[in-house]
Amino acid sequence: MRLMVSEILDHVSKSQTEAEKIAILRKNYSPALEDVLHWAYNPNITLFTNEVPPYTPDASPEGLSLTSIYSEHKRFYMFLRESRIDVERKRILLIQMLEALGSKEAKVVEYIFKRNIPQISKDLAEKAYPGLFSRPVRIPMEA
């Protein structure tokens, strides 16, 4: 069974050594997890805001919300400052994404906008996935 991105981060935070943390990140690799780390820490990515708008967290039990980061990470490109989407529309889309995700998964998206994931430092992300910050941003062709 695949762990949610928020669960992977919880496992990393409970690990004692850097080697254990790296092993957990590598064992649970997914494009979604990689994107979370890439979008949170890559200095070349400029998001339209660093403030998360107020939203109503999903009350569903974890894992039973409408969507997950595994589905939503493909839409992170919409929140680039230079995307063609109007700023107010980006704000609405962000709120909709946050409200559709489970509360812990929404918190992970908040970390991206705050540019800080408490469970994983930028250096740890780079050690787990070498070259992470030199790869290009994944943007769908139709964007």
Side-chain angles (χ1 to χ4, degrees):
M1 184 172 107
R2 177 167 72 172
L3 297 175
M4 293 186 311
V5 172
S6 59
E7 292 174 315
I8 296 166
L9 297 180
D10 286 344
H11 285 302
V12 169
S13 70
K14 292 174 185 168
S15 298
Q16 300 299 315
T17 67
E18 184 177 270
E20 288 174 353
K21 293 174 189 229
I22 290 171
I24 290 168
L25 290 170
R26 288 182 178 166
K27 177 184 176 204
N28 292 287
Y29 171 82
S30 70
L33 177 59
E34 183 180 281
D35 273 355
V36 165
L37 299 173
H38 190 237
W39 283 82
Y41 290 129
N42 188 332
N44 297 321
I45 293 176
T46 308
L47 300 170
F48 82 99
T49 185
N50 60 357
E51 295 181 19
V52 178
Y55 68 96
T56 305
D58 182 41
S60 302
E62 286 303 316
L64 298 178
S65 55
L66 293 173
T67 190
S68 71
I69 289 176
Y70 289 111
S71 298
E72 296 298 324
H73 78 101
K74 300 171 193 132
R75 297 179 36 198
F76 289 169
Y77 75 91
M78 295 185 306
F79 306 118
L80 288 169
R81 179 179 292 155
E82 61 271 8
S83 77
R84 296 180 292 179
I85 301 169
D86 169 272
V87 172
E88 185 56 28
R89 180 71 180 139
K90 288 178 192 180
R91 188 177 167 288
I92 291 167
L93 290 167
L94 177 56
I95 292 169
Q96 288 173 341
M97 180 184 287
L98 292 168
E99 289 182 348
L101 290 166
S103 59
K104 289 182 180 179
E105 293 272 282
K107 206 53 136 164
V108 173
V109 173
E110 285 186 38
Y111 296 154
I112 292 170
F113 282 85
K114 293 176 182 176
R115 308 303 289 235
N116 181 37
I117 301 172
Q119 301 92 331
I120 300 175
S121 67
K122 180 179 178 181
D123 290 339
L124 182 65
E126 180 71 44
K127 287 177 184 176
Y129 305 128
L132 176 65
F133 305 116
S134 61
R135 77 162 174 80
V137 175
R138 292 183 182 126
I139 298 176
M141 295 300 285
E142 65 274 4

